[in-house]
Amino acid sequence: MTNPRVKQLFEASPVILPSLLQCDFGNLEREVRQLEEDGCQGLHLDVMDGVFVPNISYGMPVVDAIRKLTDLPLDVHLMIQDPGKYAQAFSDAGADLLTFHVEAVDEIAPVLDNVRSLNMGTGLVLNPGTAIEAVTPFLNEIDVVLVMSVDAGFGGQAFNPVALDKLKALRAIKPDLILEIDGGVNLETIGSCREAGADLFVVGSAIFRSSDYAAALDRLRLEVQRHDPHSS
Ligand SMILES: O=C(CO)[C@H](O)[C@H](O)COP(=O)(O)O
Ligand SMILES: [Co+2]
């Protein structure tokens, strides 16, 4: 991986990545500064097009605005149809790590080649209903597998434990693969995600619905430490 911010993110693993979907967009700069002060080591940006998922969030202008606000690694989760068409635009907007859904493309390889040529980290995303076999042929060409524990499209959904089996299976296939979990990750579920092998933990409502982001993050980090598979 040559993108220095992605390298920094992976070296900091395990990392909790706040999902900017339910934050206060009317005070985006304040939110980003608060997360930086609370020691966040990256941000997860949820891009939704209303076609691939039945919801619309934001696109390149907001990614660009966040890029101008912070030097933190930006992990951009594309929940859009035909993501290859927008890879250059998101690279130009400042994405460091770009993940796209295998369900949103007819052929993975050409989109993957395109994203990799743009000096971004690359990741494939699996919805709960998609088997890991959809990504196993590509494990040597990607940096991350993002395993969804909710059906992509909305924050605040309940965690689907099928994701844990996928994390364990992928960890067993490729021990050095960076694994990311996204959807319904909170104090009750984050420990089992860590035990199952996750490195990056996307958290939305468990942070943004709390009145004290720092306290919520500290409790989540403690749970990750307590359930670390590498600790004795
Ligand atoms: O990709 C997503 C939804 O499609 C979001 O990243 C995810 O839902 C995070 O929010 P929460 O922690 O509240 O589930
Ligand atoms: Co996401």
Side-chain angles (χ1 to χ4, degrees):
M1 172 36 45
T2 50
N3 179 308
R5 288 193 190 106
V6 174
K7 200 164 171 298
Q8 166 195 322
L9 178 65
F10 292 172
E11 284 167 359
S13 171
V15 173
I16 292 169
L17 291 168
S19 147
L20 296 192
L21 181 64
Q22 297 170 71
C23 62
D24 176 357
F25 283 98
N27 291 284
L28 197 50
E29 178 162 11
R30 185 199 67 194
E31 297 280 83
V32 171
R33 292 285 168 263
Q34 182 65 55
L35 293 168
E36 286 178 328
E37 275 165 35
D38 298 344
C40 287
Q41 295 160 294
L43 298 174
H44 179 87
L45 310 186
D46 283 307
V47 175
M48 300 175 183
D49 65 356
V51 177
F52 176 67
V53 292
N55 195 7
I56 296 176
S57 59
Y58 50 82
M60 291 73 84
V62 173
V63 175
D64 185 70
I66 294 168
R67 177 75 293 157
K68 290 186 171 75
L69 282 175
T70 181
D71 203 31
L72 285 177
L74 300 183
D75 164 32
V76 176
H77 175 192
L78 293 184
M79 289 165 270
I80 67 173
Q81 202 57 36
D82 197 2
K85 217 159 87 181
Y86 301 95
Q88 177 73 59
F90 279 102
S91 173
D92 295 345
D96 295 300
L97 174 61
L98 199 67
T99 64
F100 63 91
H101 278 257
V102 296
E103 304 93 353
V105 296
D106 296 331
E107 263 194 287
I108 292 173
V111 183
L112 214 39
D113 294 344
N114 176 9
V115 174
R116 294 178 70 193
S117 70
L118 296 165
N119 189 33
M120 290 185 286
T122 61
L124 294 177
V125 192
L126 293 170
N127 262 331
T130 305
I132 64 165
E133 286 68 25
V135 299
T136 43
F138 304 95
L139 295 186
N140 290 326
E141 297 158 63
I142 57 178
D143 301 294
V144 175
V145 174
L146 170 51
V147 176
M148 293 302 293
S149 26
V150 295
D151 284 316
F154 297 89
Q157 300 178 74
F159 182 86
N160 182 338
V162 74
L164 298 175
D165 302 330
K166 290 184 181 176
L167 289 171
K168 288 173 193 163
L170 287 164
R171 177 58 70 224
I173 294 169
K174 197 163 190 305
D176 64 343
L177 179 67
I178 297 286
L179 292 174
E180 184 174 10
I181 183 84
D182 181 355
V185 179
N186 55 37
L187 272 184
E188 286 69 44
T189 59
I190 199 166
S192 45
C193 294
R194 182 61 177 156
E195 285 169 359
D199 300 290
L200 306 178
F201 306 82
V202 176
V203 179
S205 34
I207 293 171
F208 293 103
R209 287 185 185 166
S210 78
S211 53
D212 183 342
Y213 295 173
L217 280 158
D218 284 345
R219 284 193 293 269
L220 289 160
R221 288 175 184 130
L222 199 57
E223 271 306 284
V224 170
Q225 268 170 13
R226 278 171 12 92
H227 293 268
D228 191 320
H230 309 304
S231 59
S232 47

